[in-house]
Each structure stands twice: as C-alpha cells, then as structure tokens.
Amino acid sequence: DIQMTQSPSSLSASVGDRVTITCRASQGISNNLAWYQQKPGTVPKLLIYAASTLQSGVPSRFSGSGSGTDFTLTISSLQPEDVATYYCQKYNSAPRTFGQGTKVEIK
Amino acid sequence: EVQLVESGGGLLQPGGSLRLSCAASGFTFSFYAMSWVRQAPGRGLEWVSTISTSDGNTYYADSVKGRFTISRDNSKKTLYLQMNSLRAEDTAVYYCAKEVVATIWGDAFDIWGQGTMVTVSS
C-alpha cells in the first residue's frame, strides 16, 4: 500500500506569514492528491484536488503543487481563520490513504 | 442544497453490530461514488470504504475488511455501512462523503456529512 507522510506534524506561524505543508507519497500517484482543512469541532472541507485545482469558494491564498510523490500546500498569507488541521489524501486507488495531518496554529 | 445526513450511531458492546445510514439530497445520488471515512477521538482521518456507481464495486480498508459492508439504495438516495464484530478500535465519528466528479469512482471528496458517533465499549 502507498503511504502518505505529511510534514511538519504541527507548526506555529504569525498572521501574514507564508506557510508550506508537504505531503510525500511512498510511490508515484500522478496528480491524484487532495488537501482538506478541518477546523476544531467541524467537518473536513475540501481545499484542493488534482494536486493544484482550487475547490470552488476556497480563498485564493491557498494553493497546491506537485506531482508524482512530492506535494505542497501553501497558504500565502496566514489568517486567523486558517487555524486548523490539514490533511492530504491520495484518492485514485484503494486504500485511499490520508496523511497524518498538520496542525496549524497562530504564533 | 447538496447535503448528506448520517444516522444510526450509538453505544454498543464489543462484538455487536450496527448499521449506519447516509441520506443524500440536492444531487443525482446514483451518478456518484460514495465513501465512508472515520475519525477516532483526537485522531486523524481514516478512509473506511467506497462504493462505485454503475458496477457497484466495493472497496475496504484492511482494518474493516470482512467485518463491514458498504451498500447503496439509489432509489432511496441512501448509503449504508453495516458494521459487524465491532471492536473498541472502531470507536469514531463516521462521515459519509461524495466525490467531486460523477465517475465510477476515484476522485476527491467534496461534500461531507456532519458525522455520526459510534462508541464501542463494555
């Protein structure tokens, strides 16, 4: 099975900072990767799919890149409402594994 | 409005059985593959199972294979998860989720239900 490894597991940054989260697949998955945001006590929300396609309604400060095994989620200017845990997921074949999550906090 | 509403969660003893339901509205249910994802308390997301559209093929995580069965009733626009031989480690919030694109299966999850809690404890 393909493993999905996110880093870091947590980070603390200031409002306005550029934040980058990485996700590495143990084998190539082309661009079949999604990013989700889960705020405390809420349901996961799709941010990006196909590695770089922004889901409708998601602020443009979020962006995704990568293909094959290495992927990144970037928040260009961190906002207080971005405090959440972020998950990557490979979705084109079973098991549709999620990364372990990256918790983002405001410094 | 596109919506998924889960029901059927509860508290039960190890070895017990439970059936979760997910009622869909606001989209053509039969066109979309559907999945279950769970989240144990304080833990990350774990994909559980997917059912495709036209061919009804099913897929399971190793952790539930042989114990859980996913099914769908397109006439009722409802997704199900039959859970048997439940274990303490199955304790989690269970979410149903719809895929972005109307294909057989294999896309990201754009719509999630609010979740239903399953607690397995003696």
Side-chain angles (χ1 to χ4, degrees), chain B residues 11-87:
Chain B
L11 170 64
L12 63 163
Q13 294 186 339
S17 297
L18 201 62
R19 188 178 82 158
L20 305 182
S21 299
C22 170
S25 60
F27 65 101
T28 307
F29 179 73
S30 62
F31 286 6
Y32 291 85
M34 298 293 296
S35 296
W36 289 97
V37 176
R38 69 184 180 183
Q39 186 169 35
R43 305 294 297 273
L45 301 173
E46 180 186 15
W47 170 78
V48 173
S49 182
T50 292
I51 186 166
S52 65
T53 52
S54 57
D55 57 6
N57 281 344
T58 57
Y59 308 86
Y60 298 94
D62 285 346
S63 58
V64 306
K65 199 172 295 183
R67 300 188 298 123
F68 290 12
T69 302
I70 190 172
S71 62
R72 64 191 299 162
D73 185 333
N74 289 336
S75 67
K76 295 183 178 179
K77 300 181 181 180
T78 302
L79 176 72
Y80 302 101
L81 186 68
Q82 177 66 45
M83 303 187 296
N84 298 330
S85 303
L86 281 160
R87 307 166 180 168

Coordinates of all heavy atoms in Angstrom, one line a residue, chain B residues 11-87:
Chain B
L11 N -24.0 3.7 21.1 CA -23.1 3.0 22.0 C -23.4 1.5 22.0 O -24.6 1.1 22.2 CB -23.2 3.6 23.5 CG -22.5 2.8 24.6 CD1 -21.0 2.9 24.4 CD2 -22.9 3.4 25.9
L12 N -22.4 0.7 21.9 CA -22.6 -0.7 21.9 C -21.4 -1.5 22.4 O -20.3 -0.9 22.5 CB -23.1 -1.3 20.5 CG -22.2 -1.2 19.3 CD1 -22.7 -2.1 18.3 CD2 -22.1 0.2 18.8
Q13 N -21.6 -2.7 22.7 CA -20.6 -3.6 23.3 C -19.7 -4.2 22.2 O -20.2 -4.4 21.1 CB -21.2 -4.7 24.2 CG -21.9 -4.1 25.4 CD -22.3 -5.2 26.3 OE1 -22.5 -6.4 25.9 NE2 -22.5 -4.9 27.6
P14 N -18.5 -4.5 22.5 CA -17.6 -5.3 21.6 C -18.3 -6.5 21.1 O -19.0 -7.2 21.8 CB -16.4 -5.6 22.4 CG -16.3 -4.5 23.4 CD -17.8 -4.2 23.8
G15 N -18.2 -6.8 19.8 CA -18.8 -7.9 19.1 C -20.2 -7.6 18.5 O -20.8 -8.4 17.8
G16 N -20.7 -6.4 18.8 CA -22.0 -6.0 18.4 C -22.0 -5.6 16.9 O -21.0 -5.5 16.3
S17 N -23.2 -5.3 16.5 CA -23.5 -4.9 15.1 C -24.2 -3.6 15.0 O -25.0 -3.3 16.0 CB -24.2 -5.9 14.3 OG -23.5 -7.1 14.2
L18 N -24.1 -2.8 14.0 CA -24.7 -1.5 13.8 C -24.8 -1.2 12.3 O -23.9 -1.6 11.6 CB -23.9 -0.5 14.5 CG -24.6 0.8 14.9 CD1 -25.8 0.6 15.9 CD2 -23.6 1.8 15.6
R19 N -25.9 -0.6 11.9 CA -25.9 -0.1 10.5 C -26.1 1.4 10.5 O -27.0 1.9 11.1 CB -27.1 -0.8 9.8 CG -27.1 -0.4 8.3 CD -28.2 -1.1 7.5 NE -29.4 -0.4 7.5 CZ -30.4 -0.5 6.6 NH1 -30.3 -1.3 5.6 NH2 -31.5 0.2 6.8
L20 N -25.2 2.0 9.8 CA -25.2 3.5 9.6 C -25.9 3.8 8.3 O -25.8 3.0 7.3 CB -23.8 4.1 9.6 CG -22.9 3.8 10.8 CD1 -21.6 4.5 10.6 CD2 -23.6 4.1 12.1
S21 N -26.6 4.9 8.2 CA -27.2 5.4 7.0 C -26.8 6.8 6.7 O -26.4 7.5 7.6 CB -28.8 5.4 7.2 OG -29.3 4.1 7.4
C22 N -26.8 7.1 5.4 CA -26.4 8.4 5.0 C -27.4 8.8 3.9 O -27.4 8.3 2.8 CB -25.0 8.4 4.4 SG -24.5 10.0 3.6
A23 N -28.3 9.8 4.2 CA -29.3 10.2 3.3 C -28.8 11.4 2.5 O -28.3 12.4 3.1 CB -30.6 10.7 4.1
A24 N -28.9 11.3 1.2 CA -28.4 12.3 0.3 C -29.5 13.1 -0.3 O -30.6 12.6 -0.6 CB -27.6 11.7 -0.8
S25 N -29.2 14.4 -0.6 CA -30.2 15.3 -1.2 C -29.4 16.4 -2.0 O -28.3 16.7 -1.7 CB -31.1 15.9 -0.2 OG -30.4 16.7 0.7
G26 N -30.1 16.9 -3.0 CA -29.5 18.0 -3.7 C -28.7 17.7 -4.9 O -28.1 18.6 -5.6
F27 N -28.5 16.4 -5.2 CA -27.7 15.9 -6.3 C -28.2 14.6 -6.8 O -28.9 13.9 -6.1 CB -26.2 15.9 -6.0 CG -25.8 14.9 -5.0 CD1 -25.2 13.7 -5.3 CD2 -26.0 15.1 -3.6 CE1 -24.8 12.7 -4.4 CE2 -25.6 14.2 -2.7 CZ -25.0 13.0 -3.0
T28 N -27.8 14.2 -8.0 CA -28.2 12.9 -8.5 C -27.4 11.8 -7.9 O -26.3 11.5 -8.4 CB -28.1 12.9 -10.1 OG1 -28.8 14.0 -10.6 CG2 -28.7 11.6 -10.6
F29 N -27.9 11.2 -6.8 CA -27.1 10.3 -6.0 C -26.5 9.2 -6.8 O -25.3 8.8 -6.6 CB -28.0 9.8 -4.9 CG -27.4 8.8 -4.0 CD1 -26.5 9.2 -3.0 CD2 -27.8 7.4 -4.0 CE1 -25.9 8.3 -2.1 CE2 -27.2 6.5 -3.2 CZ -26.3 6.9 -2.2
S30 N -27.3 8.6 -7.7 CA -26.8 7.4 -8.5 C -25.6 7.7 -9.3 O -25.0 6.7 -9.8 CB -28.0 6.9 -9.3 OG -28.4 7.8 -10.3
F31 N -25.3 8.9 -9.6 CA -24.2 9.3 -10.5 C -22.9 9.3 -9.8 O -21.8 9.4 -10.5 CB -24.4 10.6 -11.2 CG -25.5 10.7 -12.2 CD1 -26.3 9.6 -12.5 CD2 -25.7 11.9 -13.0 CE1 -27.3 9.6 -13.5 CE2 -26.7 11.9 -14.0 CZ -27.5 10.8 -14.2
Y32 N -22.9 9.3 -8.5 CA -21.6 9.5 -7.7 C -21.2 8.3 -6.9 O -22.1 7.7 -6.2 CB -21.8 10.7 -6.8 CG -21.9 12.0 -7.6 CD1 -23.1 12.4 -8.1 CD2 -20.8 12.8 -7.8 CE1 -23.2 13.6 -8.8 CE2 -20.9 14.0 -8.5 CZ -22.1 14.4 -9.0 OH -22.2 15.5 -9.7
A33 N -19.9 8.0 -6.9 CA -19.4 7.1 -5.9 C -19.5 7.7 -4.6 O -19.4 8.9 -4.4 CB -17.9 6.7 -6.3
M34 N -19.6 6.9 -3.6 CA -19.8 7.3 -2.2 C -18.8 6.6 -1.3 O -18.5 5.4 -1.5 CB -21.2 7.2 -1.7 CG -22.3 7.9 -2.5 SD -22.1 9.7 -2.3 CE -22.5 9.9 -0.6
S35 N -18.5 7.2 -0.2 CA -17.5 6.7 0.7 C -17.9 6.9 2.2 O -18.7 7.8 2.5 CB -16.1 7.2 0.5 OG -15.6 6.9 -0.8
W36 N -17.2 6.1 3.0 CA -17.3 6.3 4.5 C -15.8 6.6 4.9 O -14.9 5.9 4.5 CB -17.8 5.1 5.2 CG -19.3 4.9 5.0 CD1 -19.9 4.0 4.1 CD2 -20.3 5.5 5.7 NE1 -21.2 4.1 4.2 CE2 -21.6 5.0 5.2 CE3 -20.4 6.5 6.8 CZ2 -22.8 5.4 5.7 CZ3 -21.7 6.8 7.2 CH2 -22.8 6.3 6.7
V37 N -15.7 7.6 5.8 CA -14.4 8.0 6.4 C -14.7 8.1 7.9 O -15.7 8.6 8.3 CB -13.9 9.3 5.8 CG1 -12.6 9.8 6.5 CG2 -13.7 9.2 4.3
R38 N -13.8 7.7 8.7 CA -14.0 7.8 10.1 C -12.8 8.5 10.8 O -11.7 8.7 10.2 CB -14.1 6.4 10.8 CG -12.9 5.5 10.8 CD -13.2 4.1 11.4 NE -12.0 3.3 11.4 CZ -12.1 2.0 11.8 NH1 -13.2 1.4 12.2 NH2 -11.0 1.3 11.8
Q39 N -13.1 9.0 12.0 CA -12.1 9.8 12.8 C -12.3 9.4 14.3 O -13.3 9.8 14.9 CB -12.3 11.3 12.6 CG -11.2 12.1 13.2 CD -11.3 13.6 12.8 OE1 -12.4 14.1 12.5 NE2 -10.1 14.2 12.6
A40 N -11.3 8.7 14.8 CA -11.3 8.3 16.2 C -11.1 9.6 17.0 O -10.5 10.5 16.5 CB -10.2 7.3 16.5
P41 N -11.5 9.6 18.3 CA -11.4 10.8 19.1 C -10.0 11.3 19.2 O -9.0 10.5 19.5 CB -11.9 10.3 20.5 CG -12.9 9.2 20.1 CD -12.3 8.5 18.9
G42 N -9.7 12.5 18.8 CA -8.4 13.1 18.9 C -7.4 12.6 17.8 O -6.2 12.9 17.9
R43 N -7.9 11.9 16.8 CA -7.0 11.3 15.8 C -7.3 11.8 14.4 O -8.2 12.7 14.3 CB -7.2 9.7 15.8 CG -7.0 9.1 17.2 CD -5.6 9.2 17.7 NE -4.6 8.5 16.8 CZ -4.4 7.2 16.9 NH1 -4.9 6.4 17.8 NH2 -3.5 6.7 16.0
G44 N -6.6 11.4 13.5 CA -6.7 11.8 12.1 C -7.9 11.1 11.3 O -8.6 10.3 11.9
L45 N -7.9 11.4 10.1 CA -9.0 10.8 9.2 C -8.5 9.5 8.7 O -7.3 9.3 8.3 CB -9.2 11.8 8.0 CG -9.7 13.2 8.4 CD1 -9.8 14.0 7.1 CD2 -11.1 13.1 9.0
E46 N -9.4 8.5 8.6 CA -9.1 7.2 8.1 C -10.2 6.8 7.1 O -11.4 6.7 7.5 CB -9.1 6.2 9.2 CG -8.8 4.7 8.7 CD -8.9 3.7 9.8 OE1 -9.5 4.0 10.9 OE2 -8.4 2.6 9.5
W47 N -9.8 6.6 5.9 CA -10.8 6.1 4.9 C -11.2 4.7 5.2 O -10.4 3.9 5.6 CB -10.1 6.1 3.5 CG -10.9 5.4 2.4 CD1 -12.0 5.8 1.8 CD2 -10.7 4.0 2.0 NE1 -12.5 4.9 0.9 CE2 -11.7 3.8 1.0 CE3 -9.7 3.1 2.2 CZ2 -11.8 2.6 0.3 CZ3 -9.8 1.9 1.5 CH2 -10.8 1.6 0.6
V48 N -12.5 4.4 5.1 CA -13.1 3.1 5.5 C -13.5 2.3 4.3 O -13.1 1.1 4.2 CB -14.3 3.3 6.5 CG1 -15.0 2.0 6.8 CG2 -13.8 4.0 7.8
S49 N -14.3 2.9 3.4 CA -14.9 2.1 2.4 C -15.4 3.0 1.3 O -15.8 4.2 1.5 CB -16.0 1.2 2.9 OG -16.6 0.4 1.9
T50 N -15.5 2.5 0.1 CA -16.0 3.2 -1.1 C -16.9 2.3 -1.9 O -16.6 1.1 -2.0 CB -14.9 3.8 -2.0 OG1 -14.2 4.8 -1.3 CG2 -15.5 4.3 -3.3
I51 N -18.0 2.8 -2.4 CA -18.9 2.0 -3.3 C -19.0 2.8 -4.6 O -19.2 4.0 -4.6 CB -20.2 1.7 -2.8 CG1 -21.0 0.8 -3.7 CG2 -21.0 2.9 -2.4 CD1 -22.2 0.1 -3.1
S52 N -18.8 2.1 -5.7 CA -18.8 2.8 -7.0 C -20.2 3.1 -7.5 O -21.2 2.8 -6.8 CB -18.0 2.0 -8.1 OG -18.7 0.8 -8.3
T53 N -20.3 3.6 -8.7 CA -21.7 3.9 -9.2 C -22.3 2.7 -10.0 O -22.9 1.9 -9.4 CB -21.6 5.1 -10.1 OG1 -20.6 4.9 -11.1 CG2 -21.3 6.4 -9.3
S54 N -22.0 2.7 -11.2 CA -22.7 1.7 -12.1 C -22.5 0.3 -11.8 O -23.4 -0.5 -11.7 CB -22.4 2.0 -13.6 OG -21.0 1.9 -13.7
D55 N -21.2 -0.1 -11.5 CA -21.0 -1.5 -11.3 C -21.1 -2.0 -9.8 O -21.1 -3.2 -9.5 CB -19.6 -1.9 -11.8 CG -18.5 -1.1 -11.2 OD1 -18.7 -0.3 -10.3 OD2 -17.3 -1.2 -11.7
G56 N -21.3 -1.0 -8.9 CA -21.5 -1.3 -7.5 C -20.3 -2.0 -6.9 O -20.4 -2.6 -5.8
N57 N -19.1 -1.9 -7.5 CA -17.9 -2.4 -6.8 C -17.6 -1.7 -5.5 O -17.9 -0.5 -5.3 CB -16.7 -2.2 -7.7 CG -16.7 -3.3 -8.8 OD1 -17.3 -4.3 -8.8 ND2 -15.9 -3.0 -9.9
T58 N -17.1 -2.5 -4.6 CA -16.8 -2.0 -3.2 C -15.4 -2.2 -2.8 O -14.7 -3.1 -3.3 CB -17.7 -2.7 -2.2 OG1 -17.5 -4.1 -2.3 CG2 -19.2 -2.5 -2.4
Y59 N -14.9 -1.3 -2.0 CA -13.5 -1.3 -1.6 C -13.5 -1.0 -0.1 O -14.3 -0.2 0.4 CB -12.8 -0.2 -2.4 CG -12.9 -0.3 -3.9 CD1 -14.0 0.3 -4.5 CD2 -12.0 -1.1 -4.6 CE1 -14.2 0.1 -5.9 CE2 -12.2 -1.2 -6.0 CZ -13.3 -0.6 -6.6 OH -13.5 -0.7 -8.0
Y60 N -12.5 -1.6 0.6 CA -12.5 -1.5 2.1 C -11.0 -1.3 2.5 O -10.1 -1.9 1.9 CB -13.0 -2.8 2.7 CG -14.5 -3.0 2.4 CD1 -14.8 -3.9 1.3 CD2 -15.5 -2.4 3.1 CE1 -16.2 -4.1 1.0 CE2 -16.8 -2.7 2.8 CZ -17.1 -3.5 1.8 OH -18.5 -3.7 1.5
A61 N -10.9 -0.6 3.6 CA -9.6 -0.6 4.4 C -9.4 -2.0 5.0 O -10.3 -2.7 5.4 CB -9.7 0.5 5.4
D62 N -8.1 -2.3 5.1 CA -7.8 -3.6 5.7 C -8.4 -3.8 7.1 O -8.7 -4.9 7.5 CB -6.3 -3.8 5.7 CG -5.7 -4.1 4.3 OD1 -6.5 -4.5 3.4 OD2 -4.5 -4.1 4.2
S63 N -8.4 -2.7 7.8 CA -8.9 -2.7 9.2 C -10.3 -3.1 9.4 O -10.7 -3.5 10.5 CB -8.6 -1.3 9.8 OG -9.3 -0.3 9.1
V64 N -11.1 -3.0 8.3 CA -12.5 -3.3 8.4 C -13.0 -4.4 7.4 O -14.1 -4.9 7.5 CB -13.4 -2.1 8.2 CG1 -13.0 -0.9 9.1 CG2 -13.4 -1.6 6.7
K65 N -12.1 -4.8 6.6 CA -12.4 -5.9 5.6 C -12.9 -7.1 6.3 O -12.3 -7.6 7.2 CB -11.2 -6.1 4.7 CG -11.5 -6.8 3.4 CD -10.2 -6.8 2.5 CE -9.7 -5.5 2.1 NZ -8.5 -5.5 1.3
G66 N -14.0 -7.7 5.7 CA -14.6 -8.9 6.3 C -15.6 -8.6 7.4 O -16.3 -9.5 7.9
R67 N -15.6 -7.4 8.0 CA -16.5 -7.1 9.1 C -17.5 -6.0 8.7 O -18.6 -6.0 9.2 CB -15.7 -6.5 10.3 CG -14.7 -7.5 10.8 CD -14.0 -7.0 12.1 NE -13.3 -5.7 11.9 CZ -13.6 -4.6 12.6 NH1 -14.6 -4.5 13.5 NH2 -12.9 -3.5 12.3
F68 N -17.1 -5.1 7.8 CA -18.0 -4.0 7.4 C -18.5 -4.3 5.9 O -17.7 -4.8 5.1 CB -17.3 -2.7 7.4 CG -17.0 -2.1 8.8 CD1 -17.1 -2.9 10.0 CD2 -16.6 -0.8 9.0 CE1 -16.9 -2.4 11.2 CE2 -16.3 -0.3 10.2 CZ -16.4 -1.1 11.4
T69 N -19.7 -3.8 5.6 CA -20.2 -3.9 4.3 C -20.9 -2.6 3.9 O -21.8 -2.1 4.6 CB -21.3 -5.0 4.2 OG1 -20.7 -6.3 4.6 CG2 -21.8 -5.1 2.7
I70 N -20.4 -2.0 2.8 CA -21.0 -0.8 2.3 C -22.0 -1.2 1.2 O -21.8 -2.1 0.5 CB -19.9 0.1 1.7 CG1 -20.4 1.5 1.4 CG2 -19.2 -0.5 0.5 CD1 -19.4 2.5 1.0
S71 N -23.1 -0.4 1.2 CA -24.1 -0.7 0.1 C -24.8 0.6 -0.1 O -24.7 1.6 0.6 CB -25.1 -1.7 0.6 OG -25.8 -1.4 1.7
R72 N -25.6 0.6 -1.2 CA -26.4 1.9 -1.5 C -27.7 1.5 -2.1 O -27.9 0.4 -2.7 CB -25.6 2.7 -2.5 CG -25.3 2.1 -3.9 CD -24.3 2.9 -4.7 NE -24.8 4.2 -5.0 CZ -24.0 5.2 -5.3 NH1 -22.7 5.0 -5.5 NH2 -24.5 6.4 -5.6
D73 N -28.7 2.3 -1.9 CA -30.0 2.2 -2.5 C -30.3 3.5 -3.2 O -30.6 4.5 -2.7 CB -31.1 2.0 -1.4 CG -32.5 1.7 -2.0 OD1 -32.7 2.1 -3.1 OD2 -33.3 1.0 -1.3
N74 N -30.1 3.4 -4.5 CA -30.2 4.6 -5.3 C -31.6 5.1 -5.4 O -31.8 6.4 -5.5 CB -29.7 4.4 -6.8 CG -28.2 4.2 -6.8 OD1 -27.4 4.7 -5.9 ND2 -27.7 3.5 -7.8
S75 N -32.6 4.2 -5.3 CA -34.0 4.7 -5.3 C -34.3 5.5 -4.0 O -35.2 6.4 -4.1 CB -34.9 3.5 -5.4 OG -34.9 2.7 -4.2
K76 N -33.7 5.2 -2.9 CA -33.9 5.9 -1.7 C -32.8 7.0 -1.5 O -32.8 7.7 -0.4 CB -33.9 5.0 -0.5 CG -35.0 4.0 -0.5 CD -35.0 3.1 0.7 CE -36.2 2.1 0.7 NZ -36.2 1.2 1.9
K77 N -31.8 7.1 -2.4 CA -30.7 8.1 -2.3 C -30.0 7.9 -0.9 O -29.8 8.9 -0.2 CB -31.3 9.5 -2.4 CG -31.9 9.8 -3.8 CD -32.4 11.2 -3.9 CE -33.0 11.4 -5.2 NZ -33.5 12.9 -5.4
T78 N -29.8 6.7 -0.5 CA -29.2 6.4 0.8 C -28.0 5.5 0.6 O -28.0 4.5 -0.1 CB -30.2 5.8 1.7 OG1 -31.3 6.7 1.8 CG2 -29.7 5.6 3.1
L79 N -27.0 5.8 1.4 CA -25.8 5.0 1.5 C -25.8 4.3 2.9 O -26.3 4.9 3.9 CB -24.5 5.9 1.5 CG -23.2 5.3 1.7 CD1 -22.8 4.4 0.4 CD2 -22.1 6.4 1.9
Y80 N -25.3 3.1 3.0 CA -25.3 2.3 4.2 C -23.9 1.8 4.6 O -23.1 1.6 3.7 CB -26.2 1.1 4.1 CG -27.7 1.5 3.8 CD1 -28.2 1.3 2.5 CD2 -28.5 2.0 4.8 CE1 -29.5 1.7 2.2 CE2 -29.8 2.3 4.5 CZ -30.3 2.1 3.2 OH -31.6 2.5 2.9
L81 N -23.7 1.6 5.8 CA -22.5 0.9 6.3 C -22.9 -0.1 7.4 O -23.3 0.3 8.5 CB -21.4 1.8 6.8 CG -20.1 1.1 7.2 CD1 -19.4 0.6 5.9 CD2 -19.2 2.1 7.9
Q82 N -22.9 -1.4 7.0 CA -23.2 -2.4 8.0 C -21.9 -2.8 8.7 O -21.0 -3.2 8.0 CB -23.8 -3.7 7.3 CG -24.1 -4.8 8.2 CD -25.2 -4.5 9.3 OE1 -26.2 -4.0 8.9 NE2 -25.0 -4.9 10.5
M83 N -21.9 -2.7 10.0 CA -20.7 -2.9 10.8 C -21.0 -4.1 11.7 O -21.9 -4.0 12.6 CB -20.3 -1.7 11.6 CG -20.2 -0.4 10.7 SD -19.5 1.0 11.6 CE -20.9 1.3 12.7
N84 N -20.2 -5.2 11.6 CA -20.3 -6.3 12.4 C -19.1 -6.6 13.2 O -18.0 -6.0 12.9 CB -20.6 -7.6 11.6 CG -22.0 -7.5 10.8 OD1 -22.9 -6.8 11.3 ND2 -22.0 -8.1 9.7
S85 N -19.1 -7.4 14.2 CA -18.0 -7.8 15.0 C -17.2 -6.5 15.4 O -16.0 -6.5 15.3 CB -17.0 -8.7 14.2 OG -17.7 -9.9 13.8
L86 N -17.9 -5.6 16.0 CA -17.3 -4.3 16.3 C -16.3 -4.4 17.4 O -16.4 -5.3 18.4 CB -18.4 -3.3 16.7 CG -19.1 -2.7 15.5 CD1 -20.4 -2.1 15.8 CD2 -18.2 -1.6 14.8
R87 N -15.3 -3.6 17.4 CA -14.2 -3.6 18.3 C -14.0 -2.2 18.9 O -14.5 -1.2 18.4 CB -12.9 -4.0 17.6 CG -12.9 -5.3 16.8 CD -11.7 -5.3 15.9 NE -11.7 -6.6 15.1 CZ -10.9 -6.8 14.1 NH1 -10.0 -5.9 13.7 NH2 -11.0 -8.0 13.4

